[in-house]
Amino acid sequence: MKMYRGFTKMPHVQYIHTEASESLCGLKLEVNKYQYLLTGRVYDGKMYTGLCNFVERWDQLTLSQRKGLNYRYHLGCNCKIKSCYYLPCFVTSKNECLWTDMLSNFGYPGYQSKHYACIRQKGGYCSWYRGWAPPDKSIINATDP
């Protein structure tokens, strides 16, 4: 229905490929019943996805995730998300956001990934942002509600 990234590698996606079975990391999607947010990779001119990619029914995404896709995530393109698997963990540069969902959710999307976006703030620092109004500037003021 809509593509958010990858236009330079693949301007139009007609088919999405996956392995034939779940044991090979293939997906079973209920096409024509649900809409999905799919991530994947382009290889040899074809779009591929599987169990190791982020795949979620569109109606199961949080409001923050849907707003992030449409308004916020592109503002974090210069930011890097650094995973924290065990304590202590720290950011090592101003363009990093520390992702701590791995500490309590074993890699599954937790509260942070469902409700926040890593965005470049004033001063050039990246940090987690949860706001309700769509941003109207290229840099978000972290004090916005």
Side-chain angles (χ1 to χ4, degrees):
M1 303 290 292
K2 183 174 182 179
M3 213 164 112
Y4 291 97
R5 290 181 56 181
F7 301 104
T8 56
K9 290 184 179 182
M10 190 148 206
H12 177 71
V13 176
Q14 186 173 1
Y15 299 104
I16 299 170
H17 301 270
T18 191
E19 295 295 333
S21 69
E22 289 180 3
S23 65
L24 297 172
C25 295
L27 292 176
K28 300 281 186 203
L29 302 175
E30 296 180 72
V31 293
N32 299 322
K33 185 174 181 182
Y34 298 109
Q35 292 181 5
Y36 294 89
L37 173 65
L38 303 171
T39 63
R41 69 187 188 293
V42 175
Y43 177 75
D44 200 23
K46 297 177 183 176
M47 171 70 190
Y48 291 90
T49 191
L51 291 175
C52 291
N53 298 104
F54 184 79
V55 176
E56 187 68 66
R57 280 183 19 198
W58 186 261
D59 63 345
Q60 298 296 311
L61 294 172
T62 65
L63 179 61
S64 294
Q65 288 172 316
R66 285 179 277 167
K67 283 189 172 192
L69 286 162
N70 289 310
Y71 302 112
R72 295 189 183 98
Y73 292 161
H74 72 281
L75 299 175
C77 290
N78 293 324
C79 298
K80 181 180 177 186
I81 297 175
K82 184 176 182 179
S83 299
C84 177
Y85 298 101
Y86 50 87
L87 294 174
C89 42
F90 307 94
V91 294
T92 54
S93 70
K94 69 180 191 176
N95 72 328
E96 293 179 341
C97 290
L98 193 59
W99 183 44
T100 58
D101 279 354
M102 298 293 280
L103 292 173
S104 59
N105 294 299
F106 306 105
Y108 293 101
Y111 194 81
Q112 193 176 28
S113 60
K114 288 182 179 182
H115 299 285
Y116 289 85
C118 178
I119 302 294
R120 188 178 199 117
Q121 309 291 340
K122 288 184 178 179
Y125 286 86
C126 294
S127 65
W128 294 106
Y129 172 79
R130 181 179 182 170
W132 297 106
D136 57 355
K137 299 177 183 174
S138 63
I139 297 176
I140 294 177
N141 182 348
T143 60
D144 283 346

